[in-house]
Amino acid sequence: MAKVKRFFLEIKKQRNESLIFPPNTEISLDKEKDINVNKFFYRQVGKEHFWRDRLMWSDKEWIKYVSNKNIETGIMKIDNNLVGFYEQEFHVPENEIELIQMGILKEYQEKKLGSFLLKYIINKAFIRKVNRVWVHTCTLDHKHALNNYLSKGFNIFKEEEINFTF
């Protein structure tokens, strides 16, 4: 068992940062709500960071999750190759977006694509005039995850330490 530090972060105001797409990059919503997209990214990105809660989900559970009208999955591609993804949930009563998952496949990491994807997510969220975007990350996530959020204007609003069994 190990102690893992979890950080809850929020951003309530968008910075005026320009968003310049890397060459041949596109980001689109998965309008088909294909569970295989979510399953693929959860397994591939998550295997490096001990994501395991959903590994036992049945297809029925995945369908229920992605069919939620407030859940959106974004897919990042370069030259039509899968690169990264994000899942977010729009919480209507609070007028806020929870960034549930975000990640870049290992072979595309260390190229500032996670930074770009986060800027994109923030820009899209504030176009919707949300009150805030929030996320949680922990010390098991990518080594640059926390700094990526902080560098984009997120602030930590809660920290906790949890026991984690590997």
Side-chain angles (χ1 to χ4, degrees):
M1 188 169 310
K3 296 281 186 191
V4 172
K5 198 161 192 176
R6 188 162 40 190
F7 304 91
F8 294 79
L9 301 105
E10 66 185 358
I11 184 170
K12 294 183 176 181
K13 187 174 184 223
Q14 181 181 6
R15 292 180 175 174
N16 290 328
E17 291 189 58
S18 59
L19 190 65
I20 300 166
F21 274 72
N24 306 315
T25 301
E26 64 179 65
I27 301 172
S28 60
L29 288 180
D30 178 20
K31 296 191 188 299
E32 304 297 316
K33 298 218 173 218
D34 179 354
I35 65 169
N36 293 311
V37 169
N38 298 74
K39 286 167 66 171
F40 169 78
F41 279 114
Y42 188 84
R43 286 186 179 116
Q44 295 306 308
V45 173
K47 69 183 172 186
E48 300 289 323
H49 309 292
F50 301 96
W51 295 357
R52 55 188 186 194
D53 297 353
R54 298 188 208 167
L55 294 178
M56 269 70 97
W57 279 11
S58 66
D59 283 355
K60 187 176 180 180
E61 289 170 297
W62 278 104
I63 290 167
K64 181 180 178 190
Y65 175 73
V66 301
S67 296
N68 176 335
K69 66 180 171 63
N70 294 322
I71 295 282
E72 296 175 337
T73 301
I75 304 165
M76 182 179 191
K77 295 180 180 180
I78 296 178
D79 292 323
N80 217 28
N81 295 310
L82 295 173
V83 171
F85 86 120
Y86 65 92
E87 293 174 355
Q88 63 185 22
E89 183 173 6
F90 182 61
H91 297 288
V92 177
E94 298 86 3
N95 189 35
E96 64 185 23
I97 290 176
E98 175 187 359
L99 179 56
I100 298 169
Q101 304 282 345
M102 177 188 135
I104 302 295
L105 295 173
K106 188 170 181 130
E107 58 269 29
Y108 292 97
Q109 291 179 2
E110 306 301 325
K111 298 177 182 179
K112 302 207 179 288
L113 295 170
S115 178
F116 170 77
L117 183 57
L118 184 56
K119 278 188 202 176
Y120 175 88
I121 293 165
I122 293 166
N123 284 352
K124 286 293 190 182
F126 283 106
I127 287 171
R128 296 166 84 168
K129 306 226 184 289
V130 297
N131 294 330
R132 76 174 183 150
V133 177
W134 69 276
V135 65
H136 66 79
T137 190
C138 73
T139 50
L140 295 174
D141 285 339
H142 190 276
K143 64 184 178 184
H144 297 306
L146 180 59
N147 283 336
N148 191 18
Y149 294 119
L150 293 171
S151 73
K152 303 300 178 294
F154 280 81
N155 295 301
I156 297 171
F157 68 89
K158 180 181 170 185
E159 291 182 43
E160 63 187 12
E161 200 169 79
I162 57 172
N163 292 321
F164 187 84
T165 305
F166 291 90

